[in-house]
Structure formats: C-alpha cells, structure tokens
Amino acid sequence: MTLYLYRTPYLVDIVREKVGKVLNLNSIDAGNAWKGMDMLIFNSWHWWVHTGQSQGWDYIRDGATLYKNMDRLYAFKKGLTTWGRWVDQNIDPSKTKVFFQGISPTHYQGKDWNQPKKSCSGEAVPLSGSTYPAGAPPAAAVVNQVLSSIKKPVYLLDITTLSQLRKDAHPSTYSDASGTDCSHWCLPGLPDTWNQLLYAALIM
C-alpha cells in the first residue's frame, strides 16, 4: 500500500501571472495527480481565511476578472464547486472512493460557547452535550451544498460538531510557545477520533 500526501490547501490552482500569485477559482490542473487512486480524501477551508503574510496568493481570478480580494466564503464556494465538477468528470466510483473531511473549527471567540471573554487558551475540559451554542460554521453549509450537487458519490466525514465541542484540544493550553493557537489540534488527540470515523466508513 502506498500513501500520498498532496498539499493543495485551496484545492483549485495557484498560478504565476504577471501580477503575482493568482488563486484561480476555475482551474484545477493539480487534479491530474489524483487520477487513478483507490481512495481520495480531501479537505479545505483553513487556509481560505488567512490574510497578510500567511495568505497564499496575491490576487483571485474568477473567469476573466482579477480581484485583489473577495468574500472568502464566496470564493471558497466557487473553488469547491470547481472541485466538485472535477470529481464528476474524472472519478470512476467502481475504482475510486472519494471522501471529503468536513470543516475543522477554531475556538478564538469565546462568545461562540457563551464565554465572551475567553478563547481556547487555558481551556482544559470539553463542552458538555452534543450541540454547539453558536451552531455550525457557515463554511459547513457551503460544503453540504456543494456535495449535494455532485453526481458521483462523495462520503462526508462530518467532524465539525464533535470538534467544536473540543475547545480544550488546541495546542495553546499545553504549549510553551508564544501566541494563541486555537485552530490546530494536539496529537495525540482529537484527530485520532477523525481517523476512527474514517476507519468506520472504510469497513462499512
């Protein structure tokens, strides 16, 4: 068995043009590397919201138009729709099983769990119950909408709500590093649960 990690945070292409690095919402040439696999596991969103020096592009292209910026949720939907078309045009379900891992949430805003003065820093216990006070992030609705439009079967690994309840699982509580990291996860930890869900889906 061979396992490949192909890093393309936006799924669609970043191309070099005269103006600089351009995120092309309609291009997915990177998909050529995914053809012929027995199983594909995709995810995206985390990098779409980055700005400043951590932003991976200089401009966004949508068709013939270049934008210096646009609403990130709208851009995510456009890019994910391009990926969905790639799945329909290139995947043979008898040979390749496709998964999409749902939105991995952040915990920077304590108001999302009714503690407005807090973030994940110092949190040591998960939220109780099975619902998150702020509800699902808007990006999760985009994922559901795009997946429902894809004709080929794509299995959603829905890790969002269970991850929202784990405000205690970020590195900030346990790390000596400066700054607050409420978007990445400790290992071992919550991502091991994601792997259990993937394993359960594989043996169904």
Side-chain angles (χ1 to χ4, degrees):
M1 182 179 70
T2 303
L3 179 68
Y4 296 95
L5 172 63
Y6 192 100
R7 188 178 185 276
T8 175
Y10 308 98
L11 298 180
V12 290
D13 298 327
I14 293 180
V15 297
R16 177 69 66 175
E17 298 189 19
K18 290 182 179 179
V19 294
K21 292 182 293 184
V22 176
L23 178 65
N24 191 333
L25 300 179
N26 311 115
S27 170
I28 196 162
D29 290 341
N32 290 328
W34 311 333
K35 295 178 180 178
M37 299 294 173
D38 298 314
M39 179 171 61
L40 292 166
I41 306 172
F42 296 93
N43 80 300
S44 191
W45 177 241
H46 179 92
W47 281 90
W48 287 86
V49 297
H50 282 40
T51 59
Q53 292 184 343
S54 61
Q55 178 177 290
W57 42 265
D58 301 309
Y59 290 86
I60 297 176
R61 177 176 293 285
D62 185 13
T65 307
L66 274 179
Y67 299 89
K68 186 62 179 175
N69 203 355
M70 70 167 57
D71 179 83
R72 301 304 175 86
L73 196 64
Y74 175 78
F76 176 56
K77 183 178 179 180
K78 293 281 291 189
L80 200 61
T81 299
T82 297
W83 167 81
R85 285 197 297 269
W86 182 90
V87 170
D88 276 337
Q89 293 169 4
N90 293 279
I91 293 299
D92 180 350
S94 68
K95 297 179 180 179
T96 303
K97 184 175 289 189
V98 180
F99 295 87
F100 191 92
Q101 180 176 285
I103 300 301
S104 173
T106 63
H107 290 96
Y108 287 105
Q109 304 291 330
K111 62 182 177 61
D112 289 346
W113 62 92
N114 300 325
Q115 292 183 307
K117 295 183 179 180
K118 291 191 173 185
S119 70
C120 74
S121 185
E123 294 296 305
V125 294
L127 289 167
S128 59
S130 58
T131 58
Y132 191 61
V142 169
V143 169
N144 289 332
Q145 184 177 356
V146 172
L147 292 190
S148 69
S149 71
I150 299 174
K151 298 178 177 62
K152 301 289 178 66
V154 178
Y155 188 98
L156 174 63
L157 294 168
D158 193 355
I159 53 99
T160 303
T161 301
L162 69 89
S163 303
Q164 286 180 312
L165 300 175
R166 293 299 310 276
K167 60 183 173 61
D168 60 310
H170 297 286
S172 284
T173 298
Y174 311 100
S175 174
D176 293 330
S178 60
T180 300
D181 185 348
C182 297
S183 63
H184 297 92
W185 305 96
C186 293
L187 289 173
L190 177 66
D192 296 310
T193 302
W194 303 349
N195 291 337
Q196 289 293 325
L197 293 175
L198 172 60
Y199 178 71
L202 289 174
I203 63 175
M204 285 176 59

